[in-house]
């Protein structure tokens, strides 16, 4: 115990990485970071996909690459210690042996062979492994080009979008971008790993996440922590060993920025016991919030006195404590001054789930298993809303089969005590705004979730009319994933949200916050509009298996960001109160 810890950044002292850009040094790196290993696997996946290799195999390499980028332990050290790599989720025998080969030989034979065989078009994009070779080849052919330089040019000039469409243009833009935004859901794993590394190997006394992750923004570009330590330079030195090697981008006497291999930045801010609360407020943000806050408090940098916690900070200025999810610069500072902040919905308030799939359509678990899992979560009900007949790709249910399912659920409910399976359907809204089942069938359901799954290309006017017409059907209850967005993949279709909210209010329809981490649709902003108009919102998982029911926490985060209280959340109501709301 008497041994004093020394700065152990022996291999990589702070600052050593700065300016050491690729190519500046012809020596092979002495130490392979997880990112460099992941890059090779991602390149391999790309070349395999170009060779029309089994898509599952390609996916396995892509998934493994993503997984390895987020690991805190150094793969090189694990291999050198002869550790069993297959103990990590997502790493099978093939990937473990590829990682060992990369660490032990510095290269991967299979990758080199495929590179040598690759067509020039494919070889040209191998430095950008997220580009899909098949799609890029289509663009090359259509536009008569053959290099990444030209690809970038055609992207910037808008020609790719004009000739080949928005989706392909977005794919190219993402593939060519170096810094990557990350879903909050994935960032949560990363946050846990970094936090443990800070408190463990880095020996920080205290570390708390701030910034976008703490505000629960659905997509993040930066992971930030406030930390307490007696030796900041030592923590900075040790953190550079995270994931084998994590380059330091910049550092000062009380802050430092690192480039994580997953493409997001990692920011550390030093704080002490007396300014902990003040630093937490400053680093949690957002900018818009701080602008309104400092109009009350004065500039944070100039504040004198002791602020050991955020509670103390807010109290000192006569403000209610403001939950991080609300710190976006809406009206939260005003309301905190008047003591009228909302009491945000929590997981405990949720009584059931109103959007779940079963094996009857494209889910992976039976109705009974979904019900059992929901009951184990303490729910009072679960709505089974399988896809409707037009959605062939998701095994939509025929009219006859839905009639049979209704009878089957009635029978199951007859055996259940203190729990109810709700008869529902995720009914497709067809192009003309009609619903995908006849009224006499819809009438037999407890309620419907109605969604758009086709013709995303309609313009704003047409898409809005489609929704308004659909809401005129008296069996329309909840609008599923209102904008159709997939975060980091596609923006969704365009609608006039204000008109749709007004129509929902007039007709007694509702919205959902779809909790799927890549949807979170409604956005927090749109959920605010709906609740301001008094339109209730369900927080639904859209679970396609029992394992996805816990993802409701992502939807709850989003609801809290929208300032929702439990009385506006549909599934905080018991079924007796809910049922009349679904009868129009
Ligand atoms: Zn859907
Ligand atoms: Zn669904």
């Amino acid at each position: 115990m008497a041994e004093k810890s020394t700065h152990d950044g022996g291999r990589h002292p702070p600052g050593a990485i700065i300016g050491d850009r690729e190519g500046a040094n012809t020596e092979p790196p002495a130490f392979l970071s997880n990112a460099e290993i992941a890059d090779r696997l991602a390149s391999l996946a790309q070349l395999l996909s170009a060779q029309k290799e089994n898509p599952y195999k390609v996916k396995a390499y892509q998934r493994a690459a993503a997984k390895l980028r987020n690991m805190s332990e150094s793969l090189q050290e694990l291999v050198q210690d002869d550790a069993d790599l297959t103990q990590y989720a997502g790493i099978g025998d093939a990937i473990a042996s590829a990682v060992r080969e990369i660490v032990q030989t510095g290269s991967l034979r299979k990758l080199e062979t495929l590179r040598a065989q690759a067509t020039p078009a494919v070889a040209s994009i191998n430095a950008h492994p997220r580009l899909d070779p098949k799609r890029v080849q289509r663009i090359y052919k259509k536009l008569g080009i053959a290099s990444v330089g030209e690809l970038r040019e055609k992207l910037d000039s808008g020609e790719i979008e004009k000739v080949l469409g928005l989706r392909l243009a977005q794919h190219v833009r993402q593939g060519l971008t170096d810094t990557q935004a990350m879903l909050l859901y994935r960032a949560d794993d990363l946050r846990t790993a970094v936090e443990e590394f800070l408190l463990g190997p880095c020996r920080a006394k205290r570390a708390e996440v701030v910034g976008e992750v703490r505000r629960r923004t659905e997509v993040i570009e930066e992971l930030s922590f406030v930390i307490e330590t007696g030796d900041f330079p030592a923590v900075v030195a040790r953190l550079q060993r995270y994931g084998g090697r994590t380059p330091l981008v910049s550092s000062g006497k009380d802050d430092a920025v690192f480039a994580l291999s997953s493409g997001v930045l990692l920011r550390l801010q030093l704080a002490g016991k007396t300014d902990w609360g003040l630093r937490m407020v400053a680093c949690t943000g957002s900018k818009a919030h701080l602008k309104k806050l400092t109009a009350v408090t004065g500039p944070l940098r100039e504040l004198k006195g002791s602020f050991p916690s955020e509670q103390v900070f807010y109290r000192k200025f006569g403000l209610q404590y403001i939950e991080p999810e609300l710190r976006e610069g809406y009206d939260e500072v005003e309301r905190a001054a008047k003591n009228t902040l909302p009491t945000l919905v929590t997981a405990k308030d949720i009584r059931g789930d109103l959007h779940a799939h079963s094996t009857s359509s494209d889910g992976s678990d039976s109705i009974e298993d979904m019900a059992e899992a929901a009951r184990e979560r303490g729910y009072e009900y679960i709505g089974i809303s399988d896809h409707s007949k037009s959605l062939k790709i998701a095994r939509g249910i025929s009219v006859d089969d839905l009639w049979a399912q209704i009878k089957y659920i009635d029978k199951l409910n007859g055996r259940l005590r203190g729990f109810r399976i709700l008869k529902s359907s995720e009914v497709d809204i067809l192009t003309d705004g009609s619903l995908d089942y006849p009224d006499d069938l819809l009438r037999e359901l407890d309620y419907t979730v109605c969604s758009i799954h086709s013709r995303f290309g309609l313009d704003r006017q047409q898409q809005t009319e489609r929704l308004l017409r659909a809401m005129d059907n008296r069996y329309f209850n909840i609008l599923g994933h209102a904008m159709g967005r997939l975060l980091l993949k596609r923006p969704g279709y365009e609608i006039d949200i204000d008109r749709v909210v007004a129509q929902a209010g007039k007709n007694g329809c509702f919205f959902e916050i779809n909790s799927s981490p890549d949807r979170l649709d409604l956005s927090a902003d749109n959920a605010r509009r709906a609740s301001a108009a008094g339109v209730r919102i369900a927080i639904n998982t859209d679970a396609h298996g029992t394992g996805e029911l816990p993802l409701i926490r992502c939807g709850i985060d989003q609801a809290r960001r929208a300032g929702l209280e439990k009385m506006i959340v549909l599934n905080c109501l018991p079924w007796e109160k809910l049922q009349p709301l679904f009868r129009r």
Side-chain angles (χ1 to χ4, degrees):
M1 288 299 285
E3 192 192 27
K4 191 181 172 297
S5 74
T6 55
H7 292 199
D8 62 354
R11 248 188 301 227
H12 303 286
I17 307 299
I18 300 174
D20 182 22
R21 299 250 63 94
E22 271 175 74
N25 191 341
T26 47
E27 292 275 297
F31 194 84
L32 276 172
S33 72
N34 294 356
E36 288 160 331
I37 295 168
D39 284 346
R40 287 169 169 82
L41 294 183
S43 297
L44 180 62
Q46 189 188 49
L47 295 171
L48 287 172
S49 140
Q51 292 224 331
K52 304 195 171 59
E53 179 58 87
N54 177 349
Y56 289 103
K57 196 161 158 190
V58 173
K59 274 242 159 57
Y61 278 106
Q62 284 167 340
R63 259 202 304 268
K67 191 96 202 162
L68 301 187
R69 278 182 218 283
N70 278 352
M71 270 175 66
S72 66
E73 287 130 299
S74 156
L75 283 162
Q76 164 139 0
E77 283 172 7
L78 287 172
V79 168
Q80 284 163 350
D81 294 346
D82 216 11
D84 176 15
L85 298 176
T86 60
Q87 67 180 304
Y88 297 94
I91 304 187
D93 288 330
I95 286 155
S97 90
V99 170
R100 273 197 300 273
E101 186 185 336
I102 294 168
V103 169
Q104 283 158 356
T105 69
S107 67
L108 187 59
R109 231 175 356 197
K110 173 116 186 151
L111 177 61
E112 303 310 326
T113 316
L114 288 175
R115 263 194 191 142
Q117 295 166 352
T119 63
V122 171
S124 75
I125 58 165
N126 205 226
H128 305 276
R130 287 192 302 154
L131 285 173
D132 172 32
K134 277 171 259 157
R135 287 194 250 183
V136 172
Q137 235 149 349
R138 245 175 73 206
I139 299 171
Y140 277 8
K141 221 184 211 160
K142 190 97 186 175
L143 302 182
I145 57 174
S147 73
V148 170
E150 289 167 303
L151 190 65
R152 204 184 290 271
E153 230 168 73
K154 299 289 183 196
L155 177 72
D156 293 341
S157 72
E159 208 173 327
I160 296 183
E161 181 172 343
K162 213 175 89 215
V163 179
L164 291 128
L166 180 67
R167 280 186 173 196
L168 269 181
Q170 280 175 345
H171 172 72
V172 172
R173 184 166 295 117
Q174 271 173 32
L176 291 178
T177 305
D178 285 336
T179 58
Q180 296 167 30
M182 181 185 267
L183 291 179
L184 177 63
Y185 166 75
R186 278 192 54 211
D188 276 337
D189 291 340
L190 184 59
R191 162 233 178 128
T192 309
V194 172
E195 196 171 310
E196 282 168 4
F197 198 81
L198 281 167
L199 294 171
C202 291
R203 288 173 240 164
K205 276 189 220 145
R206 193 173 172 193
E208 259 185 74
V209 80
V210 284
E212 297 168 315
V213 175
R214 183 162 183 240
R215 298 202 313 278
R216 310 308 288 155
T217 315
E218 61 264 50
V219 167
I220 67 125
E221 288 176 0
E222 192 177 289
L223 177 62
S224 334
F225 286 89
V226 170
I227 68 161
E228 192 187 327
T229 170
D231 191 349
F232 189 64
V235 171
V236 171
R238 290 183 190 119
L239 195 55
Q240 287 173 79
R241 303 266 296 273
Y242 179 83
R245 175 151 54 81
T246 292
L248 182 64
V249 176
S250 67
S251 74
K253 74 177 184 347
D254 63 358
D255 61 358
V257 178
F258 304 81
L260 286 171
S261 54
S262 42
V264 300
L265 293 176
L266 169 62
R267 191 179 294 274
L268 292 190
Q269 169 67 54
L270 178 66
K273 283 201 168 49
T274 54
D275 65 349
W276 184 268
L278 180 60
R279 294 290 198 186
M280 289 289 293
V281 169
C283 296
T284 297
S286 66
K287 276 206 183 94
H289 170 74
L290 292 179
K291 199 166 161 208
K292 297 203 165 161
L293 183 68
T294 51
V296 176
T297 64
L300 300 185
R301 252 172 296 110
E302 293 165 23
L303 292 181
K304 301 272 178 291
S306 172
F307 301 98
S309 71
E310 289 191 328
Q311 279 77 3
V312 170
F313 175 91
Y314 285 112
R315 211 179 306 132
K316 222 167 225 174
F317 295 102
L319 298 172
Q320 248 183 306
Y321 174 78
I322 303 175
E323 300 281 1
E325 296 95 319
L326 290 178
R327 301 184 197 173
E328 295 294 344
Y330 288 94
D331 55 356
E332 69 274 8
V333 175
E334 268 166 78
R335 290 181 71 175
K338 288 190 280 192
N339 216 9
T340 59
L341 282 175
T343 305
L344 300 180
V345 63
T346 68
K348 282 205 291 294
D349 301 323
I350 302 291
R351 291 175 185 259
D353 200 324
L354 292 169
H355 185 169
H357 296 261
S358 77
T359 42
S360 303
S361 67
D362 59 347
S364 59
D365 289 304
S366 67
I367 296 173
E368 292 91 328
D369 287 346
M370 293 300 281
E372 187 51 40
R375 194 211 265 268
E376 272 168 26
R377 293 183 61 77
Y379 288 169
E380 297 164 17
Y381 50 81
I382 185 167
I384 300 298
S385 45
D386 279 307
H387 288 292
S388 64
K389 63 179 172 38
S390 290
L391 204 60
K392 302 265 186 322
I393 188 173
R395 300 204 302 270
I397 302 184
S398 71
V399 168
D400 288 346
D401 287 348
L402 186 55
W403 276 111
Q405 176 146 316
I406 287 170
K407 294 210 179 75
Y408 182 67
I409 291 178
D410 281 339
K411 214 170 74 198
L412 288 177
N413 276 332
R415 297 205 299 261
L416 290 169
R417 293 277 164 270
F419 186 85
R420 190 179 192 100
I421 304 171
L422 303 177
K423 295 164 285 185
S424 180
S425 170
E426 181 172 10
V427 187
D428 260 56
I429 299 171
L430 304 179
T431 313
D432 64 359
S434 61
L435 301 184
D436 196 20
Y437 286 127
D439 283 358
D440 66 327
L441 176 52
L442 293 174
R443 187 172 48 219
E444 297 303 313
L445 297 171
D446 289 317
Y447 71 96
T448 60
V449 176
C450 301
S451 308
I452 286 182
H453 291 117
S454 61
R455 297 296 300 274
F456 281 31
L458 295 184
D459 69 24
R460 183 178 155 102
Q461 171 81 20
Q462 293 167 325
Q463 207 68 281
T464 305
E465 294 296 336
R466 181 185 186 181
L467 283 180
L468 299 186
R469 242 169 292 143
M471 285 179 163
D472 278 335
N473 186 313
R474 60 183 295 211
Y475 299 112
F476 184 117
N477 297 121
I478 301 172
L479 175 59
H481 44 73
M483 316 290 287
R485 71 175 183 180
L486 285 181
L487 295 166
L488 302 178
K489 289 198 198 110
R490 66 167 193 232
Y493 38 79
E494 284 194 65
I495 58 172
D496 182 339
I497 187 72
D498 290 322
R499 284 184 70 199
V500 176
V501 166
Q503 176 88 337
K506 187 173 83 140
N507 288 6
C509 303
F510 310 103
F511 288 92
E512 76 169 3
I513 288 178
N514 190 297
S515 305
S516 180
D518 61 353
R519 287 192 183 269
L520 295 172
D521 179 10
L522 299 174
S523 67
D525 201 49
N526 286 337
R528 271 176 190 272
R529 287 172 207 243
S531 88
V535 175
R536 282 196 166 91
I537 299 167
I539 304 175
N540 289 337
T541 57
D542 198 357
H544 282 66
T546 55
E548 291 178 4
L549 290 174
L551 292 180
I552 191 126
R553 67 186 150 80
C554 305
I556 294 170
D557 284 341
Q558 186 84 339
R560 291 168 62 87
R561 276 164 48 68
L564 302 192
E565 305 197 87
K566 72 174 179 186
M567 57 258 235
I568 198 96
V569 176
L570 220 41
N571 45 327
C572 291
L573 292 171
W575 173 240
E576 309 80 72
K577 295 246 169 77
L578 203 48
Q579 193 176 23
L581 297 179
F582 288 148
R583 291 284 161 234
R584 287 170 53 186

